[in-house]
Amino acid sequence: MPEPALQLREVCAGYADTVVLEAIDFTLQPGEAVSVIGRNGVGKSTLLATIMGHTTLRSGKIELFGADIGGLHTYERVWKGLAYVPQEREIFKSLTVLENLQVAARGGGGLEATFELFPSLYERRTHYGSQLSGGEQQMLAIARALAGNPSVLLMDEPSEGLAPIIVELLQTTLWQLRDESSIAMVLVEQNSRLALSFAERCVVMNRGRIVRDGPSQALREDDDLLHRLIGVDASESPRDRHVSQE
């Protein structure tokens, strides 16, 4: 049986003296897609930040394809195959689209596949990051992560702040990436409808712990269960926060 793409064992982590995550056990298989949902402030973003090495790992192990990466710097984890799309996007606004991708590119021989997935970015490849809409910046953030030829892709709230029509376009792209690539993916998402349809497996977090790890279908079909776990009804509009018309 192959090694898990990513495995966390009894992980406790946080920021300085503050513990946010407690006793996290999580396994991601090669090529698997998993969604992570939960109320605001329960540790979802901290989970991704911990995997990337942005927090203080107080105890436990983080393994990438069987290798312990818990003591590595963030850039070393990237070299080993991790990629991260932060909630803030963090593109280089003073660089063109092409330059943003070239900075991150390694392996794979070129950016052709990236531009095939994001044709609108190819059309705007000479535009600066500051000239892109919010949706285009989000697409660029994902494309930049993919340019590093990762084995595991972590995405934090990619639909945050985007208008519904842009979220639909983003969803189509994510579905294509899920179906046509061999990359293992973890999607943290407040939009429960998007999260539960993206992956057949869903992790629910509460107060820094994983309280449910199982099939998404059960949550898609049981609004009462979903509401009890995260206080959101999947049949409600996913736009439960302000969106910009970008």
Side-chain angles (χ1 to χ4, degrees), residues 78-98:
V78 172
W79 288 347
K80 288 186 175 294
L82 276 179
Y84 178 48
V85 182
Q87 188 174 359
E88 298 80 10
R89 300 166 189 159
E90 297 180 5
I91 64 167
F92 299 111
K93 294 187 178 181
S94 62
L95 299 182
T96 66
V97 167
L98 182 58

Side-chain angles (χ1 to χ4, degrees), residues 216-228 232 234:
S216 299
Q217 182 176 356
L219 297 179
R220 289 196 297 264
E221 296 176 350
D222 191 338
D223 286 348
D224 290 338
L225 174 60
L226 181 63
H227 185 78
R228 287 198 302 272
V232 172

Side-chain angles (χ1 to χ4, degrees), residues 89 133-139 158-173 194 239 244-246:
R89 300 166 189 159
S133 69
E136 289 168 336
Q137 289 183 10
Q138 185 62 75
M139 295 292 187
S159 75
E160 174 70 32
L162 301 181
I165 190 170
I166 304 301
V167 173
E168 289 180 12
L169 177 60
L170 174 67
Q171 176 176 316
T172 298
T173 303
L194 188 155
R239 309 319 315 153
S244 58
Q245 299 301 312
E246 295 174 306

Side-chain angles (χ1 to χ4, degrees), residues 9-242:
R9 303 184 186 184
E10 288 293 311
V11 166
C12 293
Y15 304 93
D17 294 330
T18 302
V19 176
V20 178
L21 302 180
E22 297 186 70
I24 296 292
D25 286 309
F26 174 77
T27 300
L28 179 72
Q29 298 299 332
E32 184 182 18
V34 175
S35 293
V36 181
I37 62 175
R39 295 180 176 90
N40 287 329
V42 299
K44 305 185 303 296
S45 294
T46 300
L47 174 64
L48 300 191
T50 297
I51 295 169
M52 290 304 302
H54 296 161
T55 67
T56 301
L57 180 63
R58 303 179 70 88
S59 62
K61 273 193 169 185
I62 304 173
E63 298 178 344
L64 186 67
F65 292 99
D68 189 347
I69 62 170
L72 299 184
H73 295 291
T74 296
Y75 69 86
E76 294 174 306
R77 302 182 192 207
V78 172
W79 288 347
K80 288 186 175 294
L82 276 179
Y84 178 48
V85 182
Q87 188 174 359
E88 298 80 10
R89 300 166 189 159
E90 297 180 5
I91 64 167
F92 299 111
K93 294 187 178 181
S94 62
L95 299 182
T96 66
V97 167
L98 182 58
E99 289 168 340
N100 266 274
L101 298 177
Q102 289 173 331
V103 165
R106 70 176 179 87
L111 299 173
E112 291 83 1
T114 302
F115 282 132
E116 286 179 8
L117 189 62
F118 300 96
S120 63
L121 291 182
Y122 180 77
E123 295 171 2
R124 295 177 65 80
R125 63 191 180 280
T126 61
H127 290 236
Y128 291 100
S130 60
Q131 296 175 306
L132 303 181
S133 69
E136 289 168 336
Q137 289 183 10
Q138 185 62 75
M139 295 292 187
L140 179 56
I142 297 172
R144 184 182 58 184
L146 294 174
N149 196 29
S151 302
V152 177
L153 176 64
L154 312 176
M155 294 177 285
D156 191 4
E157 303 276 12
S159 75
E160 174 70 32
L162 301 181
I165 190 170
I166 304 301
V167 173
E168 289 180 12
L169 177 60
L170 174 67
Q171 176 176 316
T172 298
T173 303
L174 292 181
W175 268 232
Q176 183 180 350
L177 179 63
R178 178 199 64 191
D179 295 339
E180 297 180 5
S181 79
S182 60
I183 302 172
M185 291 180 279
V186 180
L187 173 69
V188 164
E189 184 53 65
Q190 277 292 107
N191 183 332
S192 59
R193 183 180 300 168
L194 188 155
L196 293 174
S197 59
F198 173 73
E200 289 306 311
R201 177 179 158 213
C202 181
V203 168
V204 181
M205 293 189 66
N206 189 33
R207 297 183 180 181
R209 294 176 178 267
I210 292 175
V211 296
R212 183 187 185 278
D213 185 344
S216 299
Q217 182 176 356
L219 297 179
R220 289 196 297 264
E221 296 176 350
D222 191 338
D223 286 348
D224 290 338
L225 174 60
L226 181 63
H227 185 78
R228 287 198 302 272
L229 288 170
I230 66 172
V232 172
D233 188 331
S235 65
E236 296 173 355
S237 169
R239 309 319 315 153
D240 54 0
R241 53 192 179 277
H242 174 74

